[in-house]
Amino acid sequence: MIKKRDLFECTSLYELMSEPTILPFVRHKASSADEYWFVTKQLMEEEEKGTVISRTIVSNFGQPIGTINLFDVEDGAGFLGTWIGCPFQGLGYNKKAKEQFLQELFFDLDIHTVFLRIRKNNVKSIRATEKLRYALKANESHPSIYAEINALEEAFDLYYIPKDLFHLVLMQQENEEEQAM
């Protein structure tokens, strides 16, 4: 479902990312496959420094279909950024990738809070986030971060995922699955 980034995937990921419905919502844009290779190489170097955690989302057949990242990592927190190519949207990959990535962040990498900055006009992402039982709207509960991400204009909603709530929901899901059997 997710794997460490690999430079050989850049061409196929660039083709998916360059779709007009995807590109506006991607944090690190590129205007060519070569530029996307360079941006990916920089992300991999930043991960070595501990400021970014970046993974490739793969289909059930191992095909790269998007990326999931934790940006601006500082003091056990960071901002989540995810994109999935159009042909793979609505197939459940987003939720599965997020859960796998959050498990890695919270239980392997010492992260305790994940923030999501979502453009107010990105209805798909807001709807997907609000379906997650472990994601909470944070516009009012974290006013300083909300003000920071909207310093230029009020364009974003803020959500956050605390480790404890994610863990609780994960345990509830496992309990529900056990009871169903």
Side-chain angles (χ1 to χ4, degrees), residues 4 11 15-16 26 29 32 34 44-45 57 67 74-75 81 86 101 104 106 115 118 135 141 148 154 162 164 180:
K4 288 207 175 218
T11 301
E15 289 172 13
L16 291 169
V26 175
K29 296 167 181 38
S32 69
D34 288 340
M44 293 167 74
E45 290 169 1
I57 302 169
T67 69
E74 189 178 314
D75 298 325
C86 287
F101 191 57
E104 179 181 354
F106 291 144
F115 290 99
I118 304 173
S141 63
E148 183 180 329
E154 194 169 330
D164 293 342

Side-chain angles (χ1 to χ4, degrees), residues 118-158:
I118 304 173
R119 291 189 182 279
K120 291 179 184 273
N121 66 350
N122 189 345
V123 178
K124 275 186 182 179
S125 289
I126 289 172
R127 198 171 342 145
T129 300
E130 290 180 347
K131 286 181 184 177
L132 303 173
R133 298 185 333 195
Y134 46 79
L136 304 169
K137 197 161 190 179
N139 292 355
E140 295 176 15
S141 63
H142 291 75
S144 61
I145 296 172
Y146 181 74
E148 183 180 329
I149 65 171
N150 287 298
L152 299 177
E153 65 175 304
E154 194 169 330
F156 298 99
D157 277 324
L158 179 66

Side-chain angles (χ1 to χ4, degrees), residues 94-112:
N94 189 20
K95 185 175 186 234
K96 289 177 190 173
K98 271 192 179 79
E99 287 180 359
Q100 190 176 9
F101 191 57
L102 290 169
Q103 284 183 33
E104 179 181 354
L105 294 175
F106 291 144
F107 305 129
D108 298 338
L109 298 176
D110 212 26
I111 300 294
H112 58 75

Side-chain angles (χ1 to χ4, degrees), residues 22-34:
I22 303 293
L23 191 59
F25 303 108
V26 175
R27 183 170 181 167
H28 291 105
K29 296 167 181 38
S31 57
S32 69
D34 288 340

